[in-house]
Amino acid sequence: EPEVTQTPSHQVTQMGQEVILRCVPISNHLYFYWYRQILGQKVEFLVSFYNNEISEKSEIFDDQFSVERPDGSNFTLKIRSTKLEDSAMYFCASIRSRSGRWDTQYFGPGTRLTVL
Amino acid sequence: AQTVTQSQPEMSVQEAETVTLSCTYDTSESDYYLFWYKQPPSRQMILVIRQEAYKQQNATENRFSVNFQKAAKSFSLKISDSQLGDAAMYFCACLAQKLVFGQGTRLTINP
């Protein structure tokens, strides 16, 4: 069964460094998402992406964050200058629907980001 | 605003018994979907079950079923014949304008 994959599984970085988290959505899916889960807290929406542009973003997704689909398969989240509070699990998700709504979001296994 | 509330931070059940996890939500949208996701210690988010708001019939997926009360905005998950592998965090989520998660309920299965 097709799956969303994410790399790396764990990323450790120094505060102020740039990180890129990578995701490969399910191949025929059209809408892509990034979520964040700080340890012990709920999963929070960051951004949605469709047709090579951001569809919606949350208050968390400030100028330090950017997303890109550099080729036909990868979907990346970049954090330009990491802060301690960026330490979290980051989940990628994708859906098949063009409408961006009425479909089940399939999640990747997550990348644990630790900022020191 | 869209909100999802899980009032039980932790639940425990004996193996083979039945447990019900509670969830209430609020949305101004008339069309929406509801989900239960399971997050084991590996922290991967795994879809357990989904319910379309326009459907009156409660969704069922093997040992997992929901009690969807639309007027009360309640969406509980029932796990029958609990197994050790069911131990995990369970998140209720509502998809209207966007996917919003509850705080989660940690389920422990006692052998």
Side-chain angles (χ1 to χ4, degrees), chain B residues 10-19 63 79 81-88 90 106-111:
Chain B
E10 296 183 357
M11 291 281 286
S12 64
V13 63
Q14 289 295 123
E15 194 177 0
E17 296 292 306
T18 295
V19 64
R63 298 183 295 107
I79 306 174
D81 185 26
S82 299
Q83 300 176 359
L84 295 178
D86 295 334
Y90 285 81
R106 182 178 303 280
L107 178 64
T108 302
I109 312 295
N110 300 313

Side-chain angles (χ1 to χ4, degrees), chain A residues 7-26:
Chain A
T7 54
S9 58
H10 191 190
Q11 173 93 45
V12 180
T13 189
Q14 294 290 326
M15 189 170 58
Q17 295 294 305
E18 174 184 287
V19 295
I20 297 176
L21 310 183
R22 290 181 169 79
C23 168
V24 179
I26 296 173

Side-chain angles (χ1 to χ4, degrees), chain A residues 37 91 101-102 104-105, chain B residues 31 37 39 43 47 50 95:
Chain A
Q37 185 185 30
F91 292 100
R101 279 203 198 185
W102 313 123
T104 298
Q105 294 187 21
Chain B
D31 291 329
Y37 282 91
Q39 188 180 43
R43 298 191 72 183
L47 177 68
R50 97 173 193 174
L95 175 62

Side-chain angles (χ1 to χ4, degrees), chain A residues 3 38 43 45 59 65-66 69 74 78 80 87 89-91 98:
Chain A
E3 294 179 335
I38 295 171
V43 178
F45 167 78
E59 297 168 350
F65 291 89
S66 63
R69 190 157 162 81
N74 289 284
K78 181 192 291 186
R80 288 189 182 80
S87 294
M89 281 289 282
Y90 288 81
F91 292 100
R98 291 180 190 276

Side-chain angles (χ1 to χ4, degrees), chain A residues 35 37-45 56 58 89 91 100-109 112, chain B residues 4 29 31-33 35 37 39 41-45 47 50 91 95-104:
Chain A
Y35 291 84
Q37 185 185 30
I38 295 171
L39 185 64
Q41 298 186 20
K42 66 169 71 175
V43 178
E44 300 172 290
F45 167 78
E56 190 175 354
S58 72
M89 281 289 282
F91 292 100
R101 279 203 198 185
W102 313 123
D103 206 350
T104 298
Q105 294 187 21
Y106 291 91
F107 283 76
R112 178 175 298 185
Chain B
V4 177
E29 301 284 331
D31 291 329
Y32 52 91
Y33 284 12
F35 302 87
Y37 282 91
Q39 188 180 43
S42 66
R43 298 191 72 183
Q44 181 159 4
M45 297 291 285
L47 177 68
R50 97 173 193 174
F91 290 95
L95 175 62
Q97 296 175 337
K98 58 185 179 182
L99 188 62
V100 174
F101 287 84
Q103 305 93 317

Side-chain angles (χ1 to χ4, degrees), chain B:
Chain B
Q2 203 177 319
T3 61
V4 177
T5 302
Q6 294 177 250
S7 59
Q8 305 155 315
E10 296 183 357
M11 291 281 286
S12 64
V13 63
Q14 289 295 123
E15 194 177 0
E17 296 292 306
T18 295
V19 64
T20 298
L21 308 184
S22 302
C23 173
T24 57
Y25 63 92
D26 193 17
T27 176
S28 57
E29 301 284 331
S30 57
D31 291 329
Y32 52 91
Y33 284 12
L34 297 163
F35 302 87
W36 279 97
Y37 282 91
K38 170 184 176 181
Q39 188 180 43
S42 66
R43 298 191 72 183
Q44 181 159 4
M45 297 291 285
I46 301 167
L47 177 68
V48 175
I49 198 165
R50 97 173 193 174
Q51 174 81 43
E52 293 89 334
Y54 64 85
K55 289 187 178 178
Q56 291 187 332
Q57 187 173 5
N58 289 323
T60 298
E61 196 72 41
N62 299 317
R63 298 183 295 107
F64 299 87
S65 61
V66 298
N67 183 6
F68 174 45
Q69 301 290 326
K70 191 170 184 179
K73 294 186 176 177
S74 168
F75 183 62
S76 61
L77 174 69
K78 185 171 83 171
I79 306 174
S80 303
D81 185 26
S82 299
Q83 300 176 359
L84 295 178
D86 295 334
M89 283 289 286
Y90 285 81
F91 290 95
C92 177
C94 176
L95 175 62
Q97 296 175 337
K98 58 185 179 182
L99 188 62
V100 174
F101 287 84
Q103 305 93 317
T105 296
R106 182 178 303 280
L107 178 64
T108 302
I109 312 295
N110 300 313

